[in-house]
Amino acid sequence: QRFNKLYVANGNRLDFYKINEQGIISVNDSDRALKISMRDESGNKSYVRFTFKSNPVSDKMLLQSKKAVTIESDISGNSLIVTSRICNDSDKLTYFSNGKPTEISASYSGITQRVYLMNLQKLQPDSVTTCAGSLVFNFKDVIPSETSYTYYSDWTEVQFPENSLYDTLFLNTSHRVEDKKEIFVIGHRTVPLHKPVQITLKPSILLAPNKNLSVYRKEGNSLFYLGGEWTGNKVKFSTRDLGMFVFLTDTIAPMITRVKIDAHSARLRVRDGLSGIAYYEANINGEWLLMNYDYKSGILQSNLLNTKQSLKGDFELKVVDRAGNERIFKQKI
């Protein structure tokens, strides 16, 4: 809970000090010397003395600000922070809520940028615009952090288990089609999750469910396999990260490259371009062979439990990706 006043006993008088939304105590008129005394049941006393220094709030940043991009936003706690490049004399930002425009002034500014603070507990704007550009937010719901909660829309359901969030989530969602592929945006990848959430997607483009068709989370140029279970025209999956989700089909089997194979060891490199390696199996003359996998390099290295044993005969390695594609490598040693 956030408090907005601090009460301090000052002799026979009770003084109070205002606390702003950032938790800062403001003492604007003059310095205030304070003394706090504490006494235990035996009558022993302890004291602490300190002074609240007068420090009026300034709307100018004393330190040089970072080089501003055109316009960007971030969320910190309950505050929406919009940073805009200075491009004219007006410091106004216009936000739109249910189609209605409202102007606000900058909360503070620096040499190259202005910063606007908005309390999301009171307002979740549809969009904002300044002289430097516009941002669209797509806020759809406010998700509590301590209880289970399910968000519903025409194209998705998101189930947040109890205590899956560390703080209240101001959830943004959007859905669009690009190059005949659907893109689903649910929250942002920087939102920390304490527990996985369950997401159900309802694609508007007709898809034929099969073992190779899966959900992936897209982050820049990187893709992260999430899989998914189909029920009719819906797919459900679990994730520890929010962000952008897409459907992709992986029909290409993993690659296996021989590095070195002899009587002492078998060393191979395996790679998969999309869904990633699910598992691998190796055997020599039909007998199971232990292999160690280094995820970063993609190297599979044999590990003989009996140091006197040698590799001789028919060696076979099977590698399967998460989409179910498999490749088999064979060599006689």
Side-chain angles (χ1 to χ4, degrees):
Q1 183 177 359
R2 189 181 294 277
F3 300 93
N4 59 9
K5 294 180 182 178
L6 172 67
Y7 291 89
V8 178
N10 187 0
N12 295 323
R13 188 173 75 252
L14 189 65
D15 294 337
F16 74 88
Y17 302 92
K18 293 181 179 180
I19 303 176
N20 67 15
E21 292 183 355
Q22 286 72 45
I24 299 173
I25 300 172
S26 299
V27 182
N28 292 327
D29 49 357
S30 63
D31 295 353
R32 298 290 181 89
L34 299 177
K35 173 184 174 182
I36 298 176
S37 63
M38 301 185 69
R39 178 188 301 172
D40 64 19
E41 292 182 354
S42 299
N44 302 301
K45 292 183 179 181
S46 293
Y47 302 92
V48 62
R49 293 180 174 86
F50 57 93
T51 301
F52 277 144
K53 302 294 290 183
S54 175
N55 186 19
V57 176
S58 173
D59 61 356
K60 301 296 182 183
M61 288 184 286
L62 298 179
L63 299 178
Q64 182 173 356
S65 59
K66 69 177 182 179
K67 184 177 181 180
V69 297
T70 303
I71 185 171
E72 64 182 5
S73 68
D74 192 13
I75 295 177
S76 178
N78 295 326
S79 297
L80 173 64
I81 305 169
V82 178
T83 303
S84 173
R85 178 173 53 85
I86 294 177
C87 48
N88 61 24
D89 294 335
S90 173
D91 70 342
K92 299 297 184 180
L93 171 146
T94 301
Y95 70 81
F96 294 84
S97 179
N98 297 321
K100 179 182 178 181
T102 304
E103 284 190 343
I104 61 173
S105 298
S107 300
Y108 55 92
S109 60
I111 297 175
T112 61
Q113 64 189 28
R114 297 187 178 104
V115 179
Y116 304 84
L117 302 178
M118 304 173 68
N119 188 343
L120 290 173
Q121 291 282 16
K122 299 178 180 179
L123 169 74
Q124 296 99 49
D126 304 323
S127 63
V128 299
T129 182
T130 70
C131 63
S134 301
L135 295 173
V136 178
F137 296 109
N138 295 305
F139 289 118
K140 302 298 183 183
D141 206 348
V142 179
I143 315 298
S145 60
E146 298 180 354
T147 62
S148 60
Y149 190 92
T150 302
Y151 166 76
Y152 298 94
S153 77
D154 293 337
W155 53 269
T156 188
E157 296 177 12
V158 187
Q159 298 175 344
F160 294 87
E162 184 178 1
N163 295 320
S164 58
L165 295 168
Y166 292 98
D167 201 355
T168 301
L169 171 62
F170 301 94
L171 182 66
N172 64 292
T173 66
S174 64
H175 168 236
R176 65 184 186 274
V177 177
E178 289 182 2
D179 298 328
K180 299 182 180 180
K181 292 183 179 179
E182 288 185 87
I183 297 175
F184 307 85
V185 177
I186 302 173
H188 194 271
R189 65 177 182 83
T190 58
V191 174
L193 296 178
H194 182 62
K195 297 179 182 179
V197 300
Q198 286 71 50
I199 297 177
T200 300
L201 297 179
K202 309 169 192 176
S204 58
I205 296 178
L206 183 61
L207 299 173
N210 61 75
K211 69 173 186 176
N212 303 117
L213 179 65
S214 305
V215 179
Y216 292 77
R217 185 174 64 85
K218 193 174 188 300
E219 185 177 321
N221 294 324
S222 300
L223 292 165
F224 302 89
Y225 173 87
L226 295 171
E229 296 182 2
W230 287 87
T231 303
N233 63 341
K234 302 178 183 179
V235 61
K236 185 175 183 178
F237 61 95
S238 178
T239 179
R240 286 292 298 265
D241 297 283
L242 302 177
M244 182 184 296
F245 304 94
V246 295
F247 288 99
L248 294 173
T249 300
D250 182 2
T251 59
I252 301 175
M255 297 295 297
I256 303 176
T257 305
R258 176 183 180 275
V259 178
K260 180 181 179 182
I261 299 178
D262 56 28
H264 304 290
S265 69
R267 185 178 176 87
L268 305 99
R269 177 176 283 107
V270 296
R271 292 179 179 174
D272 188 79
L274 190 53
S275 62
I277 304 297
Y279 68 92
Y280 52 87
E281 296 175 351
N283 67 79
I284 184 80
N285 297 320
E287 295 185 4
W288 178 76
L289 178 64
L290 175 64
M291 302 288 287
N292 293 328
Y293 180 53
D294 182 75
Y295 176 81
K296 291 185 178 180
S297 64
I299 293 293
L300 274 172
Q301 173 72 51
S302 62
N303 186 355
L304 295 174
L305 300 179
N306 184 353
T307 56
K308 296 181 180 180
Q309 182 183 2
S310 62
L311 296 176
K312 188 175 181 180
D314 295 321
F315 170 79
E316 181 178 295
L317 172 66
K318 180 172 75 172
V319 180
V320 182
D321 66 17
R322 292 178 178 177
N325 304 299
E326 69 173 50
R327 190 178 297 274
I328 296 176
F329 174 91
K330 296 181 180 181
Q331 180 174 327
K332 192 172 188 66
I333 305 176

